[in-house]
Amino acid sequence: KAGYIGGKEEHMFELMDGFLKNDPVSLQKDILHHVEYTVARSRFSFDDFEAYQALSHSVRDRLIERWHDTQQHFKKKDPKRLYFLSLEFLMGRSLSNSVNNLGIQDQCAEALNQLGFEYEVLAEQEGDAALGNGGLARLSACQMDSLATLDYPAWGYGLRYQYGLFRQIILDGYQHEQPDYWLNFGNPWEIERVHVSYAVKFYGTVEEEVVNGEKCKVWIPGETVEAVAYDNPIPGYGTRNTINLRLWAAKPSDGYDIESYTTGDYINAIVNRQKAEIISNVLYPDDRSYQGKELRLKQQYFFVSASLQDIIRRFKDAHGNFDNFPEKVALQLNDTHPSISIAELMRVLLDEEKLGWKKAWDIVRQVFSFTTHTVQQEALEKVPVDLFESVLPRHLQIIYDINFAFMEELKAKIGPDYARLSRMSIVEEGAVKNIRVANLSIVCSHTVNGVSRAHSELLKTRVFRDFYELWPEKFQYKTNGVTQRRWIVVSNPSLCALISKWLGTESWIRNIDLLARLREFASNSDLQKEWQMVKKVNKLRLAEYIETMSGVKVSLDAMFDVQIKRIHEYKRQLLNILGVIHRYDSIKNMEKSERRKVVPRVCIIGGKAPPGYEIAKKVIKLCHVVAETINNDNDVGDLLKLVFIPDYNVSVAELVIPGSDLSQHISTAGHEASGTGSMKFLMNGCLLLATDDGSTNEIIEEIGAENMFIFGAKINEVPTLREKGSTVKAPLQFARVVRMVRDGYFGFKDYFKSLCDTVENGKDFYLVGADFASYLEAQAAADRAYVDKEKWSEMSILCTAGSGRFSSDRTIEDYAENTWGIQPCKCPS
Ligand code: 475
């Protein structure tokens, strides 16, 4: 009630009966109210989906109250704010996460029970918000949860795609893509802000004008599209703070194509107008690169321009001039995708605010920080100059000016080293001239972060070496983390309860360091037994899911061995499948008596291949044909099963991860920037079978190599192994399993030829053959460990106990302190 005392406001507050209450009866009233008046169904007759809608609206009401209070509090305190700019957010489901973070799960369950519904069943009604591809996008979602929980004054900005990441359908073992029109059933979690909208302009020409005797540039745009805000409240856990994820949708602008109206072609004019919406229609489904796509550039600029207009408006409401902009605003670039915001901020400060180059540049270079999520030089975004000039002519000029100044500064420092100057230039010369977006981001950001220690080393020594030598102080790293709220508390409630019981507190949900205290009990046989029970329950749930999805019955005694992530050559799902073939082949060739010693396995693979990535799609097909052979071989029975889980997404991960015993993170060393899947598995007590890539060596420091199965070439050995090319001897077993595929043992001989060619005949860029023997050894070590149930449980407990460093809370605190310079701003409860 604080803040509402006296006069009209107090009267209004009382009329509304204060804040919403969270006891079961109040919740029931709200749910029934929403059934009747929001969902417009009779309160005496509604189904699970309608109950889900009504519950969601009731939860959302509570989020809105907190959202208002938080924003008011931020406004009053006026702290430095962080704006997290990302083209992708993989939020997954919202209901269970919000209910958990609000701390009202028991009340909701009880309220629903009395109405004849089950909370868990309703939570399952929700579809995923899949506005992103993979790791980068899920990381953004985890980081939003930590920002809210840790009370940071932050907002996320992104695009509200109408079609999220495609749905994967498997027909006959082949991947097909279906559109994910996720808004079909409405989205109770967003709030449309019809009045928060900005004009975003494209194309046109730049002209010179003289204003007050000074020459200045004027951009005369050719097209205008309206950006409309949709707000998605992000509640913190154990705090009132609820921050905002503002996503922009493209709508026609009233200024759009006025010409056609006056010429009388009314219908065509409307049709043309509607085309504006294309900009936010669809998420690009490829997480490698999409060089030179006009729509992609327009998406990037669209969301960046709207976000900056919004940020600047908010800043100007509170401040008279731009002098303290850098003390009040931090702009985080999530990879290069939002980097046009650099040129856009410069343009606004120069052309609209008339600050002059020196002052504008001084501001710009203090506000941006850049995090890169890639390792490959080839994957770095480039935009052809011609395209840039057509879509954003004024921005191209600004980038040229920035580059000119940078080149002058660099020349003064390093002298006429033209090779290096040309490597570092923002403009790539050649048959096709390109803008190197990463170079622009590095030059204009105060900090360049990698996503793990090893990644950062690669950035410094290989990918951005020239820049590191010039500005070593700019380069930092923030090892990724994931939120324990979603990845333990929501997705594994039984483990959550067990941890709290043994630690005697739930505080670890906010203070992850406490998890380490589990180490004390790792060898306690009571805990081990309870730990095994929890795993069993989760395996049962997963086994039921597998049977529904693929018709394969699996044994709970088998080790559940899982690899779920996007399908890529570098992630080496092929190595996994060839390993499974080897296991199958070995079992087939064993005496019956030997078979008794075999540790039964269920090998589970899931993930989407980028639609245009032929080889990745062949890997999916291979998995299916191999599974077909193995799963129908009665001779092998429960000793080995292989299943592909279709349409992998966040909610599938929430089901699969808790039910896994072992998980694979087996990229060729030097290719995975960090990896975050491994951290979710760790938190859930799954052992890791991994290469020394990405964040693995930091995980080893916490868990101990003796509690993991590490194999394969090290980052520094990879270049030499590659140079050796065909002289690297792959083991005989490798030749044998590849030969089985080549010879058509599993059918589709011609189809798999090109796939086999990627790992043989001296090509094998990803070293599948070179790492094969050591992979099999690691797998054998996992088998041996699994036999000893106590030992395995102890290792499993140690995984969870050591996973605290990989909470996104830790990552965000590090960013807040060392990159963004922001402080918590806690809304009073
Ligand atoms: C890394 N996605 C992981 C994770 O830092 C890392 C690229 C272009 C366009 C759209 N999406 C992308 C990525 O680059 C990506 O997901 N990268 C991943 O970021 C978080 O843990 O190693 O591969």
Side-chain angles (χ1 to χ4, degrees), residues 88 132-137 139 283-284 286-290 296 334-335 337 371-375 379 381 451 480 570-571 671-677 679 694:
E88 300 190 5
N133 274 283
L136 167 151
L139 183 76
L283 165 81
Y284 275 91
D286 199 321
D287 53 3
R288 295 168 299 166
S289 61
Y290 14 54
R296 174 80 179 174
N334 199 27
D335 216 288
H337 318 152
T371 296
T372 169
H373 300 262
T374 16
V375 175
E381 278 192 304
V451 288
N480 286 162
Y570 87 80
K571 294 183 188 279
H671 286 265
E672 192 69 87
S674 163
T676 46
M679 301 166 180

Side-chain angles (χ1 to χ4, degrees), residues 526-635:
D526 291 336
L527 174 60
Q528 289 186 0
K529 283 198 194 93
E530 293 173 41
W531 199 264
Q532 286 163 13
M533 267 315 289
V534 166
K535 184 59 79 184
K536 194 112 190 198
V537 169
N538 290 319
K539 283 175 81 167
L540 179 62
R541 195 165 62 132
L542 174 53
E544 285 168 357
Y545 185 75
I546 290 173
E547 193 173 348
T548 322
M549 299 311 288
S550 64
V552 179
K553 262 196 169 21
V554 298
S555 153
L556 296 188
D557 295 327
M559 184 201 300
F560 283 18
D561 160 353
V562 178
Q563 187 181 20
I564 40 173
K565 44 183 86 232
R566 285 300 287 260
I567 313 282
H568 269 278
E569 284 170 277
Y570 87 80
K571 294 183 188 279
R572 297 200 296 191
Q573 282 89 356
L574 183 56
L575 173 59
N576 187 352
I577 298 170
L578 293 174
V580 173
I581 298 177
H582 172 79
R583 183 174 286 265
Y584 174 65
D585 187 43
S586 315
I587 297 174
K588 294 292 281 180
N589 291 320
M590 266 177 206
E591 297 291 329
K592 287 268 183 290
S593 58
E594 269 182 283
R595 287 191 188 182
R596 259 178 289 142
K597 290 190 220 133
V598 172
V599 177
R601 286 245 189 173
V602 178
C603 302
I604 299 164
I605 298 180
K608 296 178 182 176
Y613 194 169
E614 273 294 310
I615 291 294
K617 288 184 144 177
K618 291 193 179 199
V619 169
I620 292 178
K621 175 68 177 168
L622 180 65
C623 182
H624 281 88
V625 296
V626 173
E628 177 83 14
T629 303
I630 295 178
N631 299 345
N632 292 312
D633 190 336
N634 290 332
D635 190 29

